[in-house]
Amino acid sequence: MNDIRAMRNINRNLFEGVPATANALEEYDSDAARLVREAAQHLVKARRDNDTEALNEASNATFLAAAELLNQAGRSVYVRFPIMVAARLVELEAALLTANAQSDGGAEERTA
């Protein structure tokens, strides 16, 4: 997985003015969105607890999300692109989970 610090603010301008309740992935493909959320929760746990098994689960769920995105796209795109998109979505979701946990003061137990 990519380091979130290296990717911070790459897409910031894309989301200016978009309501916090908007979830384009959920609208496009709810199965992929579910897998992204699942992978992000595993990724947060892996980073927090240095848990190799959780990291493997995050990786597996990311590949499943990428496969779902590829199926939704009609299998007409290069395979690596949906994998990169799915990995980026997982990183963003994990960053949101971490930010929410920090702002809630100890809510990270809910993501485990």
Side-chain angles (χ1 to χ4, degrees), residues 5 7-8 10 14 17-19 22 24 30 33 35 38 45 48 50 56-57 61 68 78 80-81 91 104-105 109:
R5 291 176 297 271
M7 299 185 339
R8 194 176 311 274
I10 288 175
L14 294 175
V18 176
S30 60
L35 289 164
E38 178 184 322
K45 182 179 185 318
R48 185 185 64 219
N50 198 23
N56 289 335
E57 290 295 327
E68 181 63 34
Y78 185 62
R80 188 172 174 184
F81 179 73
E91 289 284 352
D104 289 346
E109 272 71 13

Side-chain angles (χ1 to χ4, degrees), residues 1 39-59 111-112:
M1 296 288 172
Q41 289 174 350
H42 287 300
L43 183 59
V44 169
K45 182 179 185 318
R47 288 179 173 164
R48 185 185 64 219
D49 302 338
N50 198 23
D51 185 338
T52 305
E53 185 177 331
L55 187 61
N56 289 335
E57 290 295 327
S59 181
T111 64

Side-chain angles (χ1 to χ4, degrees), residues 95-108 110:
L96 288 172
L97 287 171
T98 302
N100 286 340
Q102 289 171 348
S103 67
D104 289 346
E108 63 268 359
R110 289 186 284 195

Side-chain angles (χ1 to χ4, degrees), residues 2 18-19 25 28-29 34 39 46 49 55 59 67 71-74 76 78 82 92 98 101 106-107 110:
N2 294 325
V18 176
L25 182 59
Y28 179 72
D29 189 332
R34 179 185 52 77
D49 302 338
L55 187 61
S59 181
N71 285 335
Q72 192 72 353
S76 63
Y78 185 62
L92 288 169
T98 302
R110 289 186 284 195

